[in-house]
Amino acid sequence: MKRLYSRLKMDDDTQNVDMTPLIDMVFILLIFFIVTSVFAKDKGMDIERPSQQSAGKVAKENIMIALTKEGKLRADGRDISFNSLRSYVAKKINSKDQAVVIMADIDADVGDLADIMDECRLAGAKKISLATETE
């Protein structure tokens, strides 16, 4: 009887559930869902650009500045002010051939556009272009 009791007692101690495979599967599923999920890119601002027949391609190394019809400025995915525009462009210019491309809304104030162009020239930009849509 003592032998049977010691055998039953030993079986009770060894009956543990191993959680390692369950944790492994949870991490694998978590990694799978993170990798396969689609991340939406922040578009920034909706700008309706004017159209031109002579519109050309824009190089990626150019400095891009967006101007909305409300007069807000955006560069590198963040809002900037007119006061900090000159220092921003001066920091971003790497060479004399680098251009500043202004994406202004068709309903944006022309005075704001002229102020942006002036600030870019004062920051040292030699080439300033206005982004348009091709017809």
Side-chain angles (χ1 to χ4, degrees):
M1 184 76 166
K2 187 175 183 181
R3 183 185 270 177
L4 181 64
Y5 178 73
S6 65
R7 191 172 164 195
L8 289 175
K9 185 177 178 185
M10 189 169 73
D11 287 344
D12 287 342
D13 290 341
T14 60
Q15 292 181 356
N16 292 333
V17 177
D18 189 17
M19 298 295 289
T20 306
L22 178 66
I23 293 171
D24 289 343
M25 285 302 298
V26 168
F27 281 126
I28 289 171
L29 286 173
L30 180 67
I31 291 170
F32 173 77
F33 286 118
I34 289 173
V35 169
T36 59
S37 63
V38 177
F39 294 104
K41 289 186 178 179
D42 184 24
K43 186 177 177 184
M45 299 181 173
D46 290 328
I47 295 177
E48 183 182 345
R49 295 181 297 200
S51 61
Q52 292 287 324
Q53 292 179 351
S54 63
K57 299 285 182 186
V58 175
K60 289 191 177 203
E61 61 270 359
N62 292 338
I63 301 169
M64 306 294 283
I65 299 171
L67 173 66
T68 63
K69 59 184 170 186
E70 292 87 19
K72 293 182 182 178
L73 286 177
R74 191 170 182 96
D76 284 340
R78 61 183 179 93
D79 292 333
I80 59 173
S81 65
F82 279 104
N83 297 333
S84 63
L85 180 63
R86 187 184 309 181
S87 63
Y88 171 79
V89 172
K91 281 192 270 183
K92 289 290 184 174
I93 289 181
N94 296 330
S95 66
K96 292 183 180 182
D97 294 334
Q98 192 171 16
V100 175
V101 179
I102 302 169
M103 296 181 296
D105 193 277
I106 196 167
D107 296 326
D109 186 29
V110 178
D112 290 343
L113 183 59
D115 291 341
I116 292 171
M117 294 174 77
D118 188 42
E119 289 294 318
C120 291
R121 278 194 197 96
L122 292 173
K126 301 295 180 200
K127 297 179 181 178
I128 301 172
S129 300
L130 181 63
T132 60
E133 295 284 336
T134 56
E135 286 184 346

